[in-house]
Amino acid sequence: QVQLVEPGGGLVQAGGSLKLSCAASGRSFSHYDLGWYRQAPGKQREFVAAIGGTTYYTDTVKGRFTISRDNDKNTVFLQMNSLKPEDTAIYYCHAHSTLGRPDCWGQGTQVTVAS
C-alpha cells in the first residue's frame, strides 16, 4: 500500500491559483489510478479529478483544475486556477490500485479561498 503525503494547501484569494502535490512513499504510482477528492464543512467527500489512461473532472472544476502525474517522482499534482470560495475544502489525494492492492488516501490538506 502506498503512503501519500500532501504538502501544500493554504489560503488564496478568489481568482487566484494554488498547486497541490501528493507524493508517494513505499510503492510506486506506476500501477495506480490517481485522483483528488475534497470535503467541505458539513458536506460529504466528493470527487474532484482523476488520472489514469485519461483524465476526469467533476463539472464544477472543468476548465479551472488540471490533474497531472509524474511517475518517476511518484507524485500527483492538482493545479487549481480561478479559485472560488466554493472550492474551500480539505483536499485528499487518492490512489486506486490497478493490481488489486488496497486503495490509499492522503491525510488531507486544507485549501481556503477567501472572497
Side-chain angles (χ1 to χ4, degrees):
Q1 184 176 9
V2 298
Q3 299 178 26
L4 306 178
V5 179
E6 301 177 49
L11 176 66
V12 63
Q13 294 183 354
S17 298
L18 196 64
K19 187 175 183 178
L20 303 182
S21 299
C22 180
S25 60
R27 296 186 179 275
S28 171
F29 274 157
S30 297
H31 297 288
Y32 286 79
D33 293 332
L34 307 173
W36 291 91
Y37 290 72
R38 66 187 181 187
Q39 187 167 19
K43 295 185 177 181
Q44 294 183 334
R45 188 174 299 184
E46 67 172 347
F47 167 79
V48 176
I51 183 168
T54 186
T55 57
Y56 303 87
Y57 299 93
T58 190
D59 287 342
T60 57
V61 308
K62 286 182 178 178
R64 300 189 298 120
F65 291 10
T66 302
I67 187 171
S68 61
R69 65 193 293 171
D70 186 339
N71 287 339
D72 291 337
K73 298 181 179 179
N74 294 330
T75 304
V76 61
F77 306 94
L78 185 67
Q79 177 66 51
M80 303 182 292
N81 299 323
S82 301
L83 283 162
K84 304 175 181 179
E86 304 93 280
D87 297 317
T88 295
I90 300 175
Y91 283 71
Y92 300 87
C93 60
H94 174 254
H96 171 71
S97 174
T98 61
L99 300 176
R101 300 185 186 279
D103 287 12
C104 297
W105 291 92
Q107 82 283 357
T109 186
Q110 177 69 49
V111 173
T112 302
V113 183
S115 61

